[in-house]
Amino acid sequence: MAVHKTMNDLQAEVDTYIGQFKEGYFSPLAMLARLTEELGELAREVNHYYGEKPKKTSETEKAIEEEVGDLLFVLICMANALKIDLEDAHNYVMDKFKTRDSDRWTRIEQESRSEDNE
């Protein structure tokens, strides 16, 4: 059975891992470069699975899940280094989306009602 971790758990786990090394966290600019690198690797994998660019026979198989995990790790590192609580950041963004974009998209229940009225 999988252990469920909160965002705070993930941030603490990464902080403990990074804390064992003298170098600590990279600079924000270096981490931004790493985020960009990891995002590119994710984009490449998505393109191989869903796009028109098949893998070369010499390329190793990497799962999209692994690439998302790499991206998440670096994002957590960046948040930790900048003292950003990702749970607070998430809550802020969700509140923004729920208010700013509250009528932007067609809700599933609205779609069902409009189909029933036809």
Side-chain angles (χ1 to χ4, degrees), residues 90-102:
H90 169 78
N91 291 339
Y92 171 79
V93 169
M94 288 306 299
D95 184 57
K96 180 175 69 172
F97 288 151
K98 288 176 183 177
T99 55
R100 183 189 69 193
D101 296 340
S102 64

Side-chain angles (χ1 to χ4, degrees), residues 37-76:
E37 178 185 338
E38 295 298 348
L39 183 58
E41 291 176 15
L42 174 61
R44 184 176 182 84
E45 287 304 309
V46 168
N47 195 24
H48 288 314
Y49 282 99
Y50 301 106
E52 290 73 36
K53 185 179 178 189
K55 277 188 180 283
K56 297 175 189 172
T57 55
S58 61
E59 290 181 298
T60 60
E61 191 67 30
K62 283 190 170 179
I64 292 173
E65 179 180 10
E66 179 184 345
E67 298 304 336
V68 168
D70 289 345
L71 191 62
L72 179 61
F73 177 81
V74 177
L75 182 61
I76 292 171

